[in-house]
Amino acid sequence: VDNDVLMMVLIRVSVATIALPLVSPAAVLATHLCLCRLGDSYSSLVAYMQRKVALERRGQGKSSTTLGSKLDEKIPQGQKKQNENEPSGNGTENLMASGAGDNAEKLPAAKWCNLGLWSNECEYYDQACENLANELGHAAKLNSSDAVLCCGCGSIDEVRHYKNQFQLRHVTGIDPHLAEGRRTDENDSNVRTLRASVEDLAITEKKGAPLFPPRLFDKVLALDNVYHYPSKYSFFSDCHAMLPGGG
């Protein structure tokens, strides 16, 4: 046996011997439990990584930029020139205004960061995220009479989507990582976000009243984020106490 080949085999075996225990299920579980002990630091790290992956997925060729380019090809030449002469920051608003293409409403790109619901027909990351939101909305039987609390919304884009897609009466989104403390949609006062965590929903002796009064909302949504919460039991208990009967 060639010495170089033997040396390569020995190196690979050695690396595997060292690395295998580190990537075993037990090691992964131990790491997870250690990180859980870090509390808020762990939650922030997971949220950061999730957002980072979302940005990468959005930029892997099937992004809103690619979608915009495809829509641009569908616009007649005369309409293109007219759009080019209109003042605009990036051309996206012109595409939306002209109604070019079936997917014009997808622009500009929403700030989604969930895992998405993918299918063979699904080509873009944001589209997959909307598919997952729609699936949750249909499962919750959202309708125009509902006031909805959206937990872990990530940004106002998710909240807007529920309002427009299901014609909700009102929707509020909460997330501890929102850039603004409070925000109301410029075009709809029944769409708002608040920088807060699900722990703020509870009534405690320390802080007294909860974040929202009981029966303010008919339904509570948490899209692909319950695994972030320190106590799932407490979250569901708080939701049960806050919602009206049948909510």
Side-chain angles (χ1 to χ4, degrees):
V1 179
D2 185 44
N3 289 335
D4 292 337
V5 174
L6 181 60
M7 182 61 67
M8 183 61 66
V9 171
L10 289 174
I11 291 174
R12 290 181 177 179
V13 171
S14 300
V15 170
T17 302
I18 296 172
L20 191 59
L22 300 178
V23 297
S24 66
V28 172
L29 178 60
T31 303
H32 171 75
L33 293 175
C34 289
L35 289 173
C36 284
R37 300 290 294 179
L38 296 177
D40 293 340
S41 299
Y42 173 60
S43 177
S44 299
L45 176 62
V46 172
Y48 169 79
M49 293 303 298
Q50 191 169 5
R51 290 169 188 271
K52 187 175 185 297
V53 170
L55 288 173
E56 290 176 355
R57 292 302 305 269
R58 187 171 290 115
Q60 288 177 351
K62 294 185 176 182
S63 63
S64 57
T65 304
T66 305
L67 176 58
S69 301
K70 288 190 175 184
L71 293 176
D72 206 28
E73 295 171 0
K74 298 180 182 180
I75 306 176
Q77 191 64 29
Q79 184 67 40
K80 272 188 183 181
K81 291 182 178 179
Q82 181 181 354
N83 287 341
E84 289 169 0
N85 292 331
E86 293 175 0
S88 177
N90 55 17
T92 296
E93 290 139 0
N94 292 334
L95 286 171
M96 294 181 70
S98 65
D102 296 335
N103 293 320
E105 70 275 10
K106 300 290 185 188
L107 302 172
K111 298 174 183 176
W112 300 89
C113 58
N114 63 62
L115 296 177
L117 180 62
W118 295 85
S119 65
N120 293 334
E121 295 77 24
C122 185
E123 193 174 358
Y124 305 100
Y125 173 71
D126 288 334
Q127 181 182 349
C129 293
E130 289 188 7
N131 290 345
L132 186 60
N134 291 339
E135 193 74 12
L136 178 61
H138 289 305
K141 298 181 180 179
L142 298 182
N143 59 73
S144 57
S145 64
D146 286 335
V148 175
L149 175 63
C150 180
C151 298
C153 61
S155 75
I156 201 169
D157 296 274
E158 181 179 321
V159 182
R160 283 194 191 114
H161 178 77
Y162 286 124
K163 179 66 164 62
N164 297 332
Q165 185 72 17
F166 298 96
Q167 301 299 306
L168 301 177
R169 175 167 58 89
H170 175 89
V171 58
T172 292
I174 62 171
D175 194 294
H177 304 289
L178 291 172
E180 299 177 78
R182 292 177 179 267
R183 181 179 177 184
T184 301
D185 189 276
E186 299 81 4
N187 301 314
D188 192 339
S189 59
N190 280 307
V191 176
R192 64 173 183 167
T193 56
L194 182 66
R195 190 195 300 134
S197 66
V198 294
E199 287 84 1
D200 297 320
L201 301 177
I203 301 174
T204 64
E205 295 181 1
K206 182 178 179 181
K207 66 180 182 180
L211 186 63
F212 302 108
R215 297 176 177 78
L216 178 63
F217 301 104
D218 303 296
K219 294 171 183 175
V220 178
L221 303 179
L223 178 65
D224 190 25
N225 57 47
V226 174
Y227 47 81
H228 288 312
Y229 302 161
S231 173
K232 284 72 174 174
Y233 178 82
S234 296
F235 169 66
F236 288 112
S237 296
D238 296 336
C239 290
H240 182 267
M242 183 173 58
L243 292 171

